[in-house]
Amino acid sequence: MRTDYCGNITAEYMDQTVTLNGWVNKRRDLGGVIFLDLRDREGIMQVVFDPDVEAAFTTANKVRNEFCVEITGRVRARPDNQINKDMRTGEIEILGKSITIINASAPLPLDSNQENSEEQRLRYRYLDLRRPLMAERLMFRAKVTAFVRRYLEDNGFLDIETPILTKATPEGARDYLVPSRTHKGEFFALPQSPQLFKQLLMMSGMDKYYQIVKCFRDEDLRADRQPEFTQIDIETTFLDADGVMAITEDMIRKLFQSLLNVDLGDFPRMSYAEAMQRYGSDKPDLRNPLELVDVADLVKDVEFKVFSGPANNPDGRVAVIRVPGGATLSRKQLDDYAKFVGIYGAKGLAWLKVNDLAAGEAGLQSPVLKFLGGEVAANIVERAGAADGDLLLFGADTAMVVTEAMGALRLKLGEDLELLSGDWKPLWVVDFPMFEEFDGQFHALHHPFTAPRDMTPDELRANAKGALSNAYDMVLNGVELGGGSVRIHHADMQAAVFELLGIDEQEAELKFGFLLEALKYGTPPHAGLAFGLDRMVMLMTGATSIRDVMAFPKTTTAACPLTDAPGAANPEQLKELGITAVKTEGSSD
């Protein structure tokens, strides 16, 4: 069979005889000479057949695109006028001596110009993956996992597997349930993460654990979500937050340097409160120069209730975004942005154009200018740092609505107006709130095993709303690469957190009894972090969806067009499991 891959043949092979295997990427018949572009995972090699080698020429004349073939020939230089400097193999070609058709190909169900729907690409994924772009992404992914394994093992981490069939844990999404045949009426859950098992490994004395592991969440999907995804899972004992952040930051910095020749530099740290205040997001894209500027104190006394109402409400917020050069935006564009923020609950989008600062109030243009007055408007312009030609966009509502709507608008403006600068902008976001509160009930912002910062159980109970968690997220270009925390390692603190989350002793024992029992036996301090491998590879390869860096992903409806999964179960299997399938509206059975 082959002596090397197509993409690895270089001028060093000149005049050598090589044997290649692969697929015919393109066939051209030019005046009696046949050119075949042969493709494998490493690249493309041009092969030339002329009539002098009659048998090979006859066979080459029969092949078509995507035929699987074996070719033997001699490496030679291309004529000067045929050199392709954009190809790794563009200075050489193979003079074909023999060709064997290993397998013919039927006409492809995919368009050769790649004008295919995602549904079609996933239906024929094995053909889609033959595309050089897709092959390169999967090969790059393999390089990422290989680097991560080497780095962590060189730093004393052990690769330890954890169970796939386990018990449901509260990670914030629905579990995928697996019925048990031997325990009828009972179910396993597929893990949303190995959270509790990796903590148990730290209690077991394994000290440093890692795993590149599948996780499962039954949730609504979008570009960066899949029902099954892959985490780089890391856990340590006797390291605090700074220690975990230091080693994982070093790993990511060296990963980018090794595979992309990119120096990420040091990662700045920013508190959750600052990120939400300035950028309207807990994963800010620092390539975008736009920021939210609070102006509630400047509009408290204006007659315009749309501004003064939220400004005088303890739960309200009034903020502006300065758009450099934005005064040229048309009324239609501004109306479109108003519709956009409406998606996030905003009732409108007031605006103010700075046409001529030197002209005072006459140099400003806005439908709300008469309600603000010249002095207030001037103060807002000054605080926002606006100059001639700039545009100010206002958000006024509850703090939650303003933060979410204006944060999303900031990102859209950055993309639409091409304001992003720099290739890579990493940071750590820290000091997250310990809890979120909805309808009078606390919920863990991360998960219920995250430790608070510098608080005793009694202090936590007394000031749950003001408590900060000892958690940290690594963010890159507006994408959360990974997140982690210091874990609770004292039973009394875990009990306090469960209590605040409304989990009574009976429920805690039912769901987490094995963890609570383990906390009794000399539990060491431990902390960890999990990276989303799919998101990381998506960013590093420039893909726009994690589906384009996974071999066999699901659609946005969590279906697999390739295998037609999910599908109906065998009635006999259901009977063994004690399960009855209920027909739902719209089902075909």
Side-chain angles (χ1 to χ4, degrees):
M1 302 295 271
R2 67 178 169 222
T3 55
D4 212 326
Y5 288 102
C6 294
N8 292 344
I9 306 298
T10 65
E12 295 178 358
Y13 285 72
M14 198 69 71
D15 293 323
Q16 293 184 29
T17 297
V18 297
T19 297
L20 305 176
N21 293 118
W23 289 267
V24 176
N25 194 64
K26 183 186 294 186
R27 175 187 176 278
R28 291 162 288 156
D29 189 340
L30 303 178
V33 178
I34 296 174
F35 289 83
L36 299 182
D37 287 347
L38 189 66
R39 185 193 70 244
D40 60 23
R41 77 175 199 191
E42 297 292 338
I44 293 176
M45 172 58 67
Q46 178 172 285
V47 185
V48 183
F49 292 91
D50 61 45
D52 293 343
V53 185
E54 184 176 351
F57 185 84
T58 300
T59 303
N61 197 39
K62 295 177 183 178
V63 304
R64 295 295 182 266
N65 288 359
E66 297 308 314
F67 275 36
C68 182
V69 299
E70 178 174 283
I71 294 174
T72 298
R74 179 174 59 84
V75 181
R76 70 179 187 183
R78 289 195 192 190
D80 290 344
N81 63 349
Q82 292 183 20
I83 290 176
N84 185 346
K85 295 188 180 296
D86 295 329
M87 290 178 62
R88 185 168 38 168
T89 61
E91 295 182 352
I92 57 174
E93 62 187 14
I94 306 294
L95 178 60
K97 294 182 178 180
S98 69
I99 176 171
T100 300
I101 298 175
I102 297 173
N103 235 325
S105 172
L108 296 186
L110 295 180
D111 182 78
S112 60
N113 294 319
Q114 314 307 333
E115 294 179 2
N116 301 293
S117 68
E118 186 172 59
E119 183 82 10
Q120 282 292 97
R121 291 177 53 210
L122 296 182
R123 169 69 180 84
Y124 298 99
R125 189 61 160 183
Y126 46 88
L127 298 178
D128 187 51
L129 292 178
R130 289 184 189 177
R131 290 193 295 139
L133 177 62
M134 294 302 296
E136 288 167 9
R137 286 171 175 167
L138 289 189
M139 291 166 64
F140 187 88
R141 181 183 177 118
K143 291 178 181 177
V144 171
T145 56
F147 180 95
V148 167
R149 290 184 190 281
R150 285 195 303 271
Y151 180 92
L152 292 173
E153 288 165 8
D154 287 347
N155 281 274
F157 286 81
L158 303 177
D159 182 0
I160 305 176
E161 293 181 348
T162 52
I164 293 298
L165 295 176
T166 181
K167 194 172 186 177
T169 59
E171 301 290 336
R174 295 184 189 90
D175 290 302
Y176 277 102
L177 299 179
V178 180
S180 170
R181 180 183 59 82
T182 53
H183 301 274
K184 285 188 178 180
E186 297 185 333
F187 295 82
F188 294 104
L190 301 183
Q192 295 185 34
S193 84
Q195 183 62 48
L196 297 184
F197 286 107
K198 63 187 178 186
Q199 289 189 241
L200 292 172
L201 285 170
M202 296 304 97
M203 300 174 194
S204 305
M206 294 300 101
D207 193 59
K208 290 181 177 180
Y209 141 96
Y210 88 92
Q211 189 181 183
I212 298 178
V213 60
K214 280 286 188 184
C215 302
F216 306 86
R217 296 184 182 181
D218 185 7
E219 58 184 344
D220 294 333
L221 308 181
R222 53 182 186 265
D224 59 349
R225 293 282 174 88
Q226 280 280 291
E228 52 180 319
F229 58 96
T230 306
Q231 280 186 184
I232 301 169
D233 211 42
I234 298 169
E235 197 79 7
T236 68
T237 52
F238 306 111
L239 273 186
D240 58 12
D242 288 338
V244 173
M245 293 164 75
I247 195 166
T248 52
E249 179 178 324
D250 183 63
M251 181 181 78
I252 296 301
R253 192 186 301 112
K254 288 178 177 174
L255 172 68
F256 272 70
Q257 186 71 61
S258 175
L259 298 189
L260 296 181
N261 196 28
V262 167
D263 182 5
L264 293 177
D266 292 330
F267 291 28
R269 295 190 185 187
M270 182 181 297
S271 72
Y272 170 89
E274 181 183 354
M276 298 300 286
Q277 199 77 13
R278 292 174 61 188
Y279 303 109
S281 172
D282 61 358
K283 48 181 184 293
D285 187 347
L286 299 186
R287 297 173 302 164
N288 186 333
L290 304 182
E291 294 191 21
L292 280 62
V293 177
D294 285 288
V295 295
D297 59 310
L298 301 179
V299 296
K300 279 188 174 182
D301 299 323
V302 300
E303 295 181 7
F304 191 41
K305 298 299 183 183
V306 172
F307 283 4
S308 61
N312 287 283
N313 183 345
D315 295 323
R317 185 179 185 188
V318 184
V320 300
I321 294 176
R322 178 182 73 87
V323 184
T328 58
L329 292 180
S330 69
R331 184 59 184 264
K332 182 183 183 306
Q333 288 174 299
L334 293 173
D335 289 343
D336 288 342
Y337 285 127
K339 292 177 183 176
F340 175 79
V341 296
I343 298 171
Y344 301 90
K347 300 178 182 67
L349 184 67
W351 54 269
L352 185 152
K353 293 183 177 183
V354 181
N355 297 322
D356 184 2
L357 269 179
E361 185 175 349
L364 305 178
Q365 176 188 354
S366 171
V368 300
L369 184 58
K370 59 185 177 182
F371 302 113
L372 295 177
E375 183 178 352
V376 170
N379 289 337
I380 293 172
V381 168
E382 181 181 4
R383 179 171 295 180
D388 288 350
D390 289 353
L391 169 73
L392 298 184
L393 297 172
F394 292 80
D397 209 305
T398 65
M400 181 180 295
V401 168
V402 170
T403 301
E404 187 174 1
M406 298 299 277
L409 178 62
R410 169 184 175 269
L411 295 178
K412 183 167 178 57
L413 288 165
E415 293 285 348
D416 289 352
L417 305 180
E418 299 180 350
L419 300 176
L420 305 187
S421 62
D423 294 324
W424 304 101
K425 294 287 185 179
L427 79 154
W428 287 102
V429 178
V430 297
D431 294 341
F432 289 85
M434 186 75 178
F435 304 107
E436 296 176 294
E437 189 175 10
F438 301 113
D439 300 324
Q441 175 64 52
F442 286 122
H443 302 268
L445 191 67
H446 281 81
H447 55 66
F449 316 108
T450 298
R453 282 182 63 110
D454 306 321
M455 297 183 87
T456 66
D458 287 340
E459 289 170 338
L460 180 64
R461 291 185 179 95
N463 186 25
K465 286 187 177 182
L468 298 179
S469 67
N470 204 347
Y472 33 83
D473 281 359
M474 182 186 290
V475 177
L476 181 62
N477 292 3
V479 174
E480 180 192 330
L481 277 191
S485 66
V486 173
R487 322 303 187 187
I488 295 170
H489 66 283
H490 286 293
D492 54 351
M493 179 62 79
Q494 189 66 74
V497 170
F498 283 161
E499 177 187 323
L500 289 165
L501 294 175
I503 300 173
D504 60 29
E505 289 186 17
Q506 183 177 356
E507 184 181 0
E509 182 63 32
L510 179 65
K511 291 183 175 179
F512 314 110
F514 60 95
L515 176 71
L516 298 175
E517 177 73 14
L519 286 171
K520 298 177 183 178
Y521 304 111
T523 299
H526 54 288
L529 183 146
F531 289 104
L533 174 64
D534 311 297
R535 290 184 188 178
M536 185 185 299
V537 177
M538 178 185 74
L539 269 183
M540 296 180 77
T541 60
T544 57
S545 165
I546 62 171
R547 292 190 291 277
D548 280 339
V549 297
M550 302 171 77
F552 300 104
K554 306 293 189 292
T555 66
T556 53
T557 59
C560 176
L562 173 64
T563 61
D564 202 24
N570 184 303
E572 289 301 317
Q573 285 182 300
L574 293 179
K575 186 177 179 180
E576 280 189 321
L577 294 167
I579 292 176
T580 300
V582 178
K583 182 178 179 180
T584 58
E585 185 178 348
S587 66
S588 58
D589 299 327

